[in-house]
Amino acid sequence: MTNTKQKVRKFYDEVGWKQEDDGNYQNARYEDLRPVSSEYIRKTRLRVLNGLLPNGRFLLDAGSGPVQYEEYKTYSAGYQKRVCLDISIQALREARNRIGQHGWFVVGDLAHLPFKDGAFDGAVSMHAIHHLALTEHPNAYAEIYRTLAPKRTAAIVNGWSDSPLNRGAENLLRWFRKLRGLPVKEKKKLGVDSAEGTFVEKINPAWIRRELGSKMTVEIKVWRGLSTNTLRSYVRPFGGRVLLRLVFWLENAFPKFFAENGQYPLIVIKK
Ligand SMILES: C[S@@+](CC[C@H](N)C(=O)[O-])C[C@H]1O[C@@H](n2cnc3c(N)ncnc32)[C@H](O)[C@@H]1O
């Protein structure tokens, strides 16, 4: 196992999937957990169902973590078993606590899946492939494709390396704060380890078309346009819910724009 993968595993075993004082996993820090955003967040998580067939025998959850949010359980509701694969045993212990008999739990590497061709009637992978070095991303997609049964689909979510929409929103806020003489936070660099996180490397829509387009049928759909930073900066308790209903409506009305310029696409692979 590469050094990077060992570091990622250690991070999730010792930090990411440990509960903090508020009862949430450390990993939940990257989500906007405020009540005002909850409806938008919940509805965007359910968009994964737009990329999955509803019924089948086995659903693969590659990099499952603990299946931490209630909406995640709906992905496998019509499947006999959810096969949770993760590099972190702590993730799988927690997943077993949450879905019990409905799950099978496998420690493994999503870039080298220990399953036979065509084993799954569906697959999801949420925020996990980005923990691989960029050179291994094609393997991860190829492995999900290989283990998918013919005519079935996989739904994959990872953030883009750059989101013009959220970059614009962030720059606008910085400009506004500067104008008012308020302190402006330094921008965080992507693609590096940070004190509270671990290794991530992200891609862009051109990468998806170039690396996957000739090998499999792939569609870039919208999952969630707004980043956690944008939500925290712009969505206020008063009027925030209405604003987010408008955003959600806009995402549905202009899916191609939000899929490619927003923060998180839903990559749908068809076999
Ligand atoms: C950000 S968490 C996401 C977990 C879950 N899918 C979710 O959306 O809540 C990333 C998960 O991917 C797992 N992971 C990272 N690299 C992996 C690899 N090479 N193979 C399998 N799992 C991996 C981590 O252990 C962690 O549980």
Side-chain angles (χ1 to χ4, degrees):
M1 192 189 292
T2 63
N3 200 16
T4 303
K5 283 181 193 167
Q6 280 174 12
K7 271 163 105 175
V8 170
R9 173 157 75 177
K10 188 168 159 46
F11 171 79
Y12 279 102
D13 276 345
E14 296 177 7
V15 181
W17 300 129
K18 288 281 156 75
Q19 285 188 359
E20 301 205 309
D21 293 342
D22 60 5
N24 291 316
Y25 296 117
Q26 186 274 353
N27 180 264
R29 283 190 198 178
Y30 305 106
E31 187 68 288
D32 180 5
L33 299 174
R34 296 172 307 151
V36 66
S37 302
S38 64
E39 180 185 305
Y40 173 71
I41 301 262
R42 189 173 49 76
K43 288 193 298 190
T44 59
R45 286 188 193 132
L46 291 174
R47 278 195 177 126
V48 165
L49 299 170
N50 296 340
L52 271 186
L53 294 171
N55 306 303
R57 271 183 90 200
F58 303 129
L59 179 95
L60 170 68
D61 187 343
S64 66
V67 192
Q68 61 177 326
Y69 300 115
E70 283 307 299
E71 299 79 28
Y72 283 12
K73 292 185 185 168
T74 63
Y75 310 158
S76 57
Y79 287 74
Q80 282 174 25
K81 288 277 177 197
R82 184 178 189 125
V83 180
C84 296
L85 174 128
D86 205 288
I87 205 168
S88 151
I89 190 144
Q90 175 64 11
L92 297 173
R93 284 193 193 112
E94 295 288 318
R96 191 178 51 193
N97 288 340
R98 291 182 52 77
I99 65 166
Q101 296 291 312
H102 179 54
W104 282 335
F105 307 94
V106 181
V107 175
D109 176 5
L110 61 83
H112 304 276
L113 292 175
F115 306 114
K116 65 176 189 183
D117 296 2
F120 297 103
D121 287 333
V124 292
S125 181
M126 313 275 298
H127 313 286
I129 294 178
H130 67 187
H131 286 311
L132 296 170
L134 193 55
T135 49
E136 284 211 277
H137 287 216
N139 296 15
Y141 286 94
E143 281 292 85
I144 290 173
Y145 186 75
R146 178 184 67 75
T147 57
L148 206 55
K151 299 201 179 355
R152 307 299 295 195
T153 67
I156 300 168
V157 174
N158 289 280
W160 293 130
S161 55
D162 176 47
S163 156
L165 182 72
N166 291 279
R167 180 163 37 84
E170 204 178 301
N171 287 342
L172 187 68
L173 203 69
R174 291 163 71 83
W175 173 80
F176 192 65
R177 288 183 71 87
K178 267 190 194 153
L179 205 69
R180 294 179 61 198
L182 296 168
V184 176
K185 277 193 212 153
E186 281 309 307
K187 281 187 185 176
K188 273 192 194 161
K189 272 192 187 166
L190 287 171
V192 292
D193 302 81
S194 72
E196 56 177 36
T198 185
F199 178 89
V200 289
E201 204 155 19
K202 299 188 178 186
I203 52 154
N204 57 33
W207 186 97
I208 291 281
R209 282 191 274 271
R210 190 180 62 242
E211 297 290 333
L212 307 183
S214 61
K215 299 179 190 135
M216 54 192 86
T217 305
V218 56
E219 199 181 341
I220 305 176
K221 294 187 170 193
V222 61
W223 185 68
R224 183 185 300 165
L226 301 187
S227 69
T228 302
N229 272 349
T230 304
L231 286 167
R232 287 182 181 149
S233 306
Y234 280 86
V235 177
R236 300 279 132 224
F238 181 75
R241 205 175 299 260
V242 175
L243 174 68
L244 289 177
R245 280 185 191 159
L246 175 66
V247 171
F248 189 81
W249 180 85
L250 286 169
E251 288 169 354
N252 284 344
F254 305 100
K256 189 170 159 48
F257 173 81
F258 282 94
E260 299 209 4
N261 296 283
Q263 190 61 56
Y264 300 98
L266 171 65
I267 309 292
V268 181
I269 291 174
K270 293 187 181 142
K271 192 157 175 183

